[in-house]
Amino acid sequence: MVGTFKETGSGVKFDRVERRKVMALAQARQIDAVLVTELSRWGRSTTDLLATLKELQAWRVSVIALNGMTFDLSTPHGRMIATVLAGIAEFERELIQDRIRSGIAAAKARGKRLGRQPGHRPKSDRLASKVMALVAKGRSYRLIGREVGLSKNTVADIVKRHRTNSAQTQ
C-alpha cells in the first residue's frame, strides 16, 4: 500500500488534487491498483471516468471498486459495464442537481431566506467583550485579531457594532 487519499471535492470536478496524486503514482508505475469505495466516486462524468480508466489501463493499473459490480476493463464486456455504470452515476448527479434547484425555488416561493442569516456571528459575538476590553487598553485591531483569533476586519466590525449599539441606547 502506497497511501490513502481522501478526496473531499466533488466527483464532478475534473481537477481534483488527490486524484491527480493517484494518477501521477500510476503514471510513474509506483502502484499496481487503485481501490475506490465505488466507481462513481472516482468521477461522475461519463467521459472523464472512461478516459481516466483507459489511462490507468494503459499503465497496467487496475481499478477495484469496494461497492458495486466487479469487471475487467481489458475486455469489451468490462468496458461496456463501466460505460453503463458511469452513465448511471452522471444521471444520478443530474437528478440530485434538479432536486436541489427545485427545492431552492420552492423555498424562495414560500418566502424563505436562504444563506447565512444576518446577525448570526457566534464566534465574534462570543469574543466581543474581550475585543472591547483590548480596544479600551489601546491595542491595535491587528494585534487584537491575532490574540483572539479573528481577522482585523472582524475586530473592526465588532467595535463598529458596539459603538453603534452604545449610541442607540444613549
Side-chain angles (χ1 to χ4, degrees):
M1 184 164 141
V2 173
T4 302
F5 301 91
K6 183 178 180 183
E7 189 72 64
T8 56
S10 170
V12 76
K13 293 181 181 171
F14 294 124
D15 189 31
R16 298 187 322 240
V17 175
E18 299 300 313
R19 189 170 85 165
R20 266 198 326 252
K21 290 177 187 175
V22 172
M23 293 299 282
L25 288 171
Q27 187 175 15
R29 304 205 191 286
Q30 294 178 357
I31 58 175
D32 298 321
V34 176
L35 178 67
V36 294
T37 52
E38 59 183 89
L39 198 59
S40 65
R41 305 285 15 127
W42 185 253
R44 290 278 177 101
S45 161
T46 307
T47 54
D48 174 55
L49 181 61
L50 293 175
T52 56
L53 291 176
K54 196 170 193 173
E55 273 185 84
L56 290 169
Q57 181 187 3
W59 298 324
R60 299 200 190 314
V61 175
S62 304
V63 177
I64 304 164
L66 288 176
N67 302 331
M69 297 177 66
T70 308
F71 47 86
D72 182 6
L73 290 171
S74 64
T75 65
H77 182 260
R79 286 190 296 275
M80 189 269 306
I81 291 174
T83 304
V84 170
L85 290 178
I88 290 170
E90 190 171 351
F91 174 69
E92 177 186 22
R93 176 165 175 74
E94 289 173 8
L95 284 179
I96 291 168
Q97 287 176 331
D98 286 344
R99 286 188 201 122
I100 289 169
R101 281 189 208 106
S102 66
I104 289 172
K108 284 182 179 178
R110 290 191 308 269
K112 179 83 174 162
R113 291 191 62 188
L114 302 174
R116 183 172 161 183
Q117 300 303 310
H120 291 274
R121 302 174 190 91
K123 185 176 179 183
S124 62
D125 288 346
R126 182 172 30 94
L127 296 172
S129 58
K130 188 173 184 178
V131 167
M132 293 312 298
L134 292 169
V135 167
K137 289 181 181 178
R139 295 245 178 102
S140 72
Y141 291 178
R142 189 178 308 272
L143 289 175
I144 293 169
R146 284 185 192 147
E147 187 172 327
V148 298
L150 296 171
S151 73
K152 170 185 65 89
N153 291 338
T154 303
V155 171
D157 189 47
I158 290 170
V159 172
K160 181 180 174 184
R161 281 197 316 266
H162 180 76
R163 289 182 178 154
T164 304
N165 291 342
S166 297
Q168 288 175 351
T169 50
Q170 291 178 354

